[in-house]
Amino acid sequence: MAEASPYTRKGWQSLSRPARQLILTRFLRAMAQGALAVDFTLYLKIRGWSASHVGLLLMAGGLFGAFLSLLVGIVSDRVGRRLFLLIYETGLIVGTALIIFYPTAWILVLTAALFGFGRGANGSSGPFAPAEQAWLAQSIPSARRGTVFSFNAGLQFWGMGIGSILAAILPHIMPGAHGPAAYLPLFIFNLVIAVINLAQILVIEEAPREPRMPRSEAQQQADSAVQKKENRALTWLTIVNMVNSLGVGLVAPLLPYWFNVKFGVGPSAIGPVYALTFFLTGIFSLVIGRMSERVGLIRSIVVPRVLGVALLIAIPFMPTFAIAAVLYVARSIVNRSSMGARQAFSVGLVRDKRRGFASSLNAMSWGLPAAIGPALGGQIISGGSLILPFILAAALQLGYVILFPTIMGRYDPTRAAAPGKAHGDTAASGRSS
């Protein structure tokens, strides 16, 4: 009998307690990041940062996160995942408090680089996200991961939407505050969320790691063969992801800055647009979760993104902010709503004992090109072109739409899964992954 969907009361209660707590923790974190996604680059602009300097800062955050995430994923497979989330939230508390009380340039650079401020990470725990994602995957039966990960993504988008609404409000709640001082409530809000999440993670129980048992030579050879198949799948996924990630990084992190330069709008106009985007994306993420059960993960990832490419290339040619915002909302919905399906696909390529590594490699393949993208996009915008970044981004994302089903179609765990068989665990039985 099929399990109830997680977005029903019965389905939610059927999830394990650690899974529910991890999902709620990420939802709260998404609220804080949603506010930062809109306001942080605008805050830097008020402090006198140019587009190229903002892009370089976002690049630094992406590069640091990409390299650290690889280490976190590998180590978390051996020592557990909870410790890394505790480190993340503690560091976030310290860094945000320093910005509030001592907002010098080096504090801003260090904290933003460590914790990805302004990158719109959809509630992920920055470079520690591989440990978090592997922990969540471990807490969910493999046959339910497509639906539950899409539900988790939907909640993240709704959290980002709430944060985007707050981004339009927070800079105006301190009477008489102007310039950088008006953004102080933004960082106070992030600090409060980090404290709440630290308290939540402290009470989440992590299942004990399975002891490593002695294995015969035949078992070692079989394990080596499966691992080679997993590595091959992960290598191809890394290559394909890097194409898409560079396309996303060229434009997405700098959009609030671009909207401000192109149309002269600020947080009051941009915040509600981002909020609407995230709320609608959350709804469509649930639709994609259902779709992945019927048509497979590959199709549910690729089909919406075809429309996304067309919408992306049209945005910079729009004459008004209103029209450009409508296209941005539509494009974000069709692109981002497949995030849960992409996460479920990546963790389904390997066995549980390697999911931290798989998640970290997936994060790095996204993080490295996405880190270079804002620096390149910022340089182009500073050079006077507000159109070229969109054209380059659309070309790269079109390449992803072609490459992903062509190369990764053979690894779709939902394509050939037999009824009642755990999708994500077939690697252990010799699936080509």
Side-chain angles (χ1 to χ4, degrees):
M1 182 177 179
E3 295 280 1
S5 297
Y7 41 89
T8 65
R9 181 178 179 180
K10 181 179 179 181
W12 172 254
Q13 292 176 343
S14 70
L15 296 177
S16 67
R17 188 167 180 264
R20 295 197 304 268
Q21 288 180 293
L22 287 169
I23 290 172
L24 288 174
T25 299
R26 191 153 178 166
F27 170 70
L28 291 177
R29 193 185 300 122
M31 292 172 56
Q33 292 180 358
L36 283 171
V38 176
D39 281 350
F40 188 66
T41 56
L42 300 177
Y43 169 74
L44 294 177
K45 188 173 186 292
I46 285 181
R47 291 183 64 95
W49 290 52
S50 68
S52 59
H53 288 154
V54 172
L56 287 171
L57 176 59
L58 296 174
M59 181 182 73
L63 288 175
F64 178 83
F67 285 113
L68 183 57
S69 66
L70 182 60
L71 176 64
V72 167
I74 294 172
V75 177
S76 72
D77 282 338
R78 298 178 179 274
V79 304
R81 282 94 192 211
R82 183 171 176 265
L83 173 63
F84 292 99
L85 295 187
L86 292 174
I87 293 173
Y88 172 83
E89 298 296 347
T90 301
L92 183 58
I93 290 170
V94 173
T96 308
L98 286 174
I99 290 179
I100 293 172
F101 295 107
Y102 195 62
T104 61
W106 75 270
I107 291 292
L108 279 169
V109 170
L110 182 62
T111 304
L114 287 172
F115 301 104
F117 280 13
R119 296 186 63 86
N122 299 316
S124 75
S125 51
F128 301 95
E132 180 182 33
Q133 188 168 318
W135 191 1
L136 180 60
Q138 182 185 13
S139 306
I140 300 170
S142 56
R144 300 186 69 189
R145 286 195 192 113
T147 302
V148 175
F149 269 69
S150 293
F151 170 71
N152 183 40
L155 281 184
Q156 293 167 38
F157 289 126
W158 291 331
M160 294 284 289
I162 294 171
S164 299
I165 292 176
L166 293 173
I169 299 171
L170 291 172
H172 304 289
I173 66 174
M174 291 179 61
H178 300 286
Y183 289 83
L184 182 61
L186 170 71
F187 298 106
I188 294 175
F189 174 64
N190 273 263
L191 178 62
V192 171
I193 293 295
V195 171
I196 293 172
N197 276 351
L198 177 63
Q200 287 197 94
I201 294 168
L202 282 169
V203 301
I204 301 178
E205 296 182 0
E206 182 178 7
R209 309 298 298 165
E210 293 184 4
R212 293 180 176 269
M213 304 298 292
R215 295 176 301 168
S216 66
E217 183 177 347
Q219 289 174 323
Q220 292 179 19
Q221 290 176 349
D223 183 77
S224 177
V226 173
Q227 185 166 313
K228 286 181 180 179
K229 293 178 180 179
E230 292 176 344
N231 290 343
R232 190 181 305 119
L234 291 174
T235 300
W236 282 119
L237 182 64
T238 298
I239 294 171
V240 173
N241 276 350
M242 292 178 76
V243 174
N244 186 48
S245 180
L246 181 59
V248 172
L250 275 169
V251 172
L254 292 168
L255 264 175
Y257 197 107
W258 184 88
F259 278 134
N260 182 266
V261 173
K262 173 78 172 178
F263 300 109
V265 295
S268 298
I270 300 173
V273 170
Y274 269 58
L276 179 63
T277 298
F278 289 124
F279 286 133
L280 293 178
T281 302
I283 294 173
F284 276 83
S285 183
L286 304 183
V287 174
I288 294 297
R290 285 295 187 93
M291 183 189 302
S292 69
E293 295 179 336
R294 298 181 179 181
V295 303
L297 288 172
I298 292 287
R299 289 183 181 178
S300 66
I301 292 170
V302 171
V303 172
R305 299 183 72 90
V306 176
L307 177 58
V309 171
L311 292 169
L312 177 64
I313 202 169
I315 289 175
F317 297 99
M318 296 301 102
T320 66
F321 171 70
I323 300 175
V326 169
L327 293 185
Y328 165 72
V329 170
R331 178 258 172 192
S332 296
I333 289 171
V334 297
N335 258 34
R336 290 172 166 168
S337 57
S338 64
M339 186 179 74
R342 294 197 306 268
Q343 291 174 341
F345 182 88
S346 64
V347 299
L349 293 175
V350 298
R351 296 154 293 171
D352 180 70
K353 65 180 182 179
R354 302 189 74 210
R355 286 202 173 104
F357 170 69
S359 297
S360 65
L361 194 62
N362 188 45
M364 189 182 72
S365 69
W366 279 87
L368 284 177
I372 298 171
L376 178 59
Q379 290 288 348
I380 295 173
I381 292 173
S382 291
S385 177
L386 299 179
I387 295 176
L388 183 57
F390 289 84
I391 296 176
L392 294 175
L396 287 165
Q397 292 182 43
L398 178 61
Y400 173 80
V401 167
I402 296 171
L403 290 173
F404 192 82
T406 302
I407 296 176
M408 302 307 300
R410 75 192 76 170
Y411 301 113
D412 186 351
T414 60
R415 185 181 64 173
K421 189 173 183 179
H423 296 166
D425 296 332
T426 50
S429 59
R431 171 178 54 84
S432 178
S433 56

